[in-house]
Structure formats: structure tokens, C-alpha cells
Amino acid sequence: MKSYRKELWYHVKSRRRFINITPQVEECLKESGIKEGLLLCNTMHITSSVFINDDEDGLHQDFEKWLEGLAPEKPYSMYKHNSFEDNADAHLKRTIMGREVVVAVTNGRLDFGPWEQIFYGEFDGNRDKRVLVKIIGQ
Ligand code: ZN
């Protein structure tokens, strides 16, 4: 069995953003040489997400509106966590959108369903963040 590990770094210059990281993840898979196995992709931070969905701008705006409805960024004072930080909403948004995805690797490719793409979801930007890609198989 082969094993591969890589960290992808992101520095989003706004508080929130969704980035399609599928091309970088596919590059990792190519680099690993693994043809059959499993790929895990997770954020290493508690105020960002990795998730799979459609790369469609309207949907991303819907996500933003929905998440702001559930856990608005402001007023910061509405959250107990914000006594020493201002990112309580980011922790909550990340929990809803998830920490990681697992994708089957078949014939050296990500075995996606139609329209599936991997996204990094930033909810508390302006700092360096890492995404872990771990691939096991043969
Ligand atoms: Zn915090």
C-alpha cells in the first residue's frame, strides 16, 4: 500500500470566500501515483471548511446568505466566544459546512458524481491556513 501526504496553503484576503481546490487536489493525486484507493481532504483549522458541491456562483451566494442567516457575523457581542475573539460565527459556519471530504480514487482519478467539486470554505480570513490531502491505496 502506498501513502501520500501534502499540505495546501491558503491566505484569503477577505473574511469569507469559497475556493474550488479540485485542480490542486487532482495534482496531488497525480503526484502520488496512486490509482486505486481513498483520498481524504480536510481543513486543519476550526474556522474553515472543506466540502463538495456545485461550482455555481448563484449557489455560492445562496450559501453565504443561508450561513449569515444561521450565524450572522455581527453584532460580535451576540456571541459568548467573542469575549476575546470576533470569530464565533466562523466556528459555527464551519461546523455546518463540514471539516473534510473523502473521495474514492478509481483508475487514477477522483471518482466524482456529476458536478461534484471540492471547495475550501474560508469563514475567518486574512491569515495563513492549511488543507491536508492524504491518499492511501496502490
Ligand atoms: Zn475563535
Side-chain angles (χ1 to χ4, degrees), residues 30-43:
K30 198 187 290 179
E31 204 173 276
S32 77
I34 292 171
K35 302 291 180 206
E36 296 290 326
L38 289 173
L39 181 147
L40 166 73
C41 182
N42 66 268
T43 174

Side-chain angles (χ1 to χ4, degrees), residues 8-137:
L8 306 174
W9 287 80
Y10 297 94
H11 188 113
V12 173
K13 288 185 167 56
S14 56
R15 174 108 173 174
R16 286 186 292 281
R17 196 175 149 204
F18 297 135
I19 301 171
N20 186 340
I21 62 169
T22 311
Q24 290 106 298
V25 175
E26 284 173 335
E27 200 54 45
C28 291
L29 179 56
K30 198 187 290 179
E31 204 173 276
S32 77
I34 292 171
K35 302 291 180 206
E36 296 290 326
L38 289 173
L39 181 147
L40 166 73
C41 182
N42 66 268
T43 174
M44 300 177 84
H45 303 269
I46 52 180
T47 54
S48 59
S49 288
V50 170
F51 63 95
I52 289 181
N53 220 301
D54 194 359
D55 195 359
E56 198 277 306
D57 189 54
L59 180 66
H60 295 178
Q61 291 175 46
D62 292 337
F63 272 133
E64 164 68 16
K65 191 176 165 189
W66 178 64
L67 290 167
E68 272 297 287
L70 287 172
E73 178 186 340
K74 294 170 185 170
Y76 295 126
S77 61
M78 75 185 277
Y79 299 102
K80 288 186 177 173
H81 179 68
N82 286 347
S83 55
F84 58 96
E85 281 190 300
D86 70 358
N87 64 3
D89 69 301
H91 289 280
L92 299 175
K93 286 166 176 142
R94 166 262 163 71
T95 301
I96 289 279
M97 296 305 284
R99 171 184 180 266
E100 79 279 307
V101 299
V102 176
V103 182
V105 174
T106 306
N107 291 326
R109 303 193 63 187
L110 297 174
D111 205 340
F112 282 141
W115 306 110
E116 285 191 318
Q117 294 285 288
I118 304 172
F119 290 89
Y120 174 70
E122 179 61 79
F123 303 114
D124 186 22
N126 290 305
R127 61 190 80 194
D128 293 332
K129 301 258 186 103
R130 287 175 293 163
V131 167
L132 176 67
V133 178
K134 181 89 181 188
I135 313 170
I136 55 171

